[in-house]
Amino acid sequence: MKPVPSLVAASAVVAVAFATLAPVRHGVVVEADPANPVRHVRVESRSLLGLRRPGWGVALSGAPAWGSATAGFYFTADHPVVAVVTAWPGFRQSLSMAPTPAAFAAALGEEGDREAFRTWFVALLEQQLEGPSPAWEPAQRDCAGLLRFAFREALASHTTAWRERVAFAAGPPGQDPSPRFAPDWRQGFPTPEGPQPFAKGAYLRRLSCVPLGRDLQLARPGDLIFFARGGAHAQPDHAMAFVRPDVDGAPMLLYHTGPEGSGRQPGELRRVRLDDLLHHPDPDFRPLLENPAFLGLYRWRLLAGEAPDASNPRS
């Protein structure tokens, strides 16, 4: 039986299309910088004819990662990692990577320096309730911007010129952190592009903080909680910071609401008792175990040398 010409032609077209379009050859590229704890892994795929094509079914496992098959995957290499990259058809490659000797490792300084940072960080947060500092740029007045501002200024040298620039009128809340304390953090915050003065909330959580779980009994002033609202209209991470307890010893948190409403009003700072937050009108912002939007309690990485003290949770 002779082959039907139309079927032969169709088969030829399919074969050419497959050879042109199907990504069947893959190579893994790992991008790393000694000054950056973030690794970037991407897959370069080509068809049989050598044309560059987006890979099919590209995935990375073995490390908590974010990103996409198109943009590549990012993860923090702060401990030994064995990541596995897979792609269609049957591609699999293991990547064994040692920790990056990152500039953003925890600062193993004196306890006095860590406590000085905490004291200034909380004082700067609470100062904003009296009116935003002129040094806090209006374009960055949201929840993450508040944390970046207080973090950066807590590490500054609190001279007379600094007090004028920041409009810090209160008396010194405590001693300054030593200039030798966490020098690398003065360069900025870790991001996939390296140290930057700006880092969105998700990068602060993933790269500048360490998770402490979801037990808020371990919280100390200066610690943070994060929320991530998902669904069809996913929103950026939302963060709140523990500040000084109320007069009756009740834990207090402070946060900026960020722009609000369809008119994008500038939002405001709010100081709230933890007990009241547990009954927030929006259930997504209740720090409860059963709330999937509650990501847990976090501590700044430069304070990570501290061991949580369950016997004295709010000292």
Side-chain angles (χ1 to χ4, degrees):
M1 179 181 294
K2 294 183 179 180
V4 179
S6 60
L7 292 179
V8 173
S11 298
V13 169
V14 170
V16 171
F18 182 86
T20 303
L21 301 177
V24 295
R25 298 173 179 171
H26 307 289
V28 176
V29 177
V30 180
E31 298 174 345
D33 185 326
N36 190 349
V38 179
R39 300 291 178 87
H40 182 208
V41 176
R42 56 187 175 86
V43 175
E44 293 185 348
S45 302
R46 296 180 182 274
S47 69
L48 288 173
L49 297 181
L51 299 179
R52 184 173 295 177
R53 305 296 304 163
W56 293 353
V58 176
L60 183 144
S61 60
W66 68 98
S68 66
T70 303
F73 299 97
Y74 298 90
F75 63 90
T76 307
D78 52 6
H79 61 278
V81 168
V82 177
V84 178
V85 179
T86 54
W88 182 91
F91 176 81
R92 178 185 177 91
Q93 182 172 335
S94 296
L95 305 171
S96 297
M97 285 173 279
T100 302
F104 294 98
L108 302 178
E110 298 292 333
E111 171 60 26
D113 280 330
R114 294 196 292 266
E115 192 58 35
F117 170 83
R118 279 188 180 277
T119 300
W120 275 100
F121 177 72
V122 169
L124 282 155
L125 291 174
E126 294 181 329
Q127 180 215 22
Q128 306 314 303
L129 290 168
E130 302 173 7
S133 166
W136 181 16
E137 297 179 23
Q140 296 198 32
R141 290 179 186 172
D142 56 18
C143 64
L146 174 65
L147 301 182
R148 291 192 301 267
F149 167 77
F151 183 101
R152 181 172 56 249
E153 299 301 344
L155 288 174
S157 177
H158 303 120
T159 62
T160 300
W162 174 88
R163 295 173 69 89
E164 294 175 353
R165 178 178 64 83
V166 176
F168 193 90
Q175 67 179 21
D176 279 11
S178 165
R180 298 184 302 275
F181 175 68
D184 297 310
W185 287 94
R186 300 168 195 265
Q187 302 174 24
F189 300 95
T191 75
E193 289 74 40
Q196 301 289 337
F198 176 90
K200 63 183 182 180
Y203 290 157
L204 292 180
R205 172 172 57 83
R206 292 168 175 158
L207 306 179
S208 295
C209 297
V210 293
L212 300 181
R214 294 157 69 87
D215 182 2
L216 297 186
Q217 293 296 313
L218 299 178
R220 297 184 59 191
D223 288 345
L224 315 174
I225 57 176
F226 284 86
F227 301 85
R229 304 175 71 184
H233 303 287
Q235 300 183 29
D237 278 16
H238 185 66
M240 304 180 184
F242 279 90
V243 290
R244 291 181 299 173
D246 207 352
V247 291
D248 59 359
M252 301 293 296
L253 295 104
L254 192 147
Y255 65 98
H256 194 283
T257 62
E260 298 180 305
S262 57
R264 307 306 286 169
Q265 296 300 312
E268 63 182 13
L269 281 154
R270 294 178 183 172
R271 187 171 181 265
V272 61
R273 294 168 67 101
L274 176 59
D275 289 345
D276 292 335
L277 187 62
L278 294 172
H279 301 90
H280 193 282
D282 186 340
D284 280 351
F285 292 132
R286 297 173 186 169
L288 298 170
L289 293 177
E290 60 268 25
N291 176 15
F294 173 50
L295 299 177
L297 176 68
Y298 288 77
R299 181 162 294 165
W300 289 111
R301 190 174 290 272
L302 87 171
L303 301 174
E306 301 174 322
D309 184 356
S311 65
N312 188 19
R314 300 185 187 100
S315 61

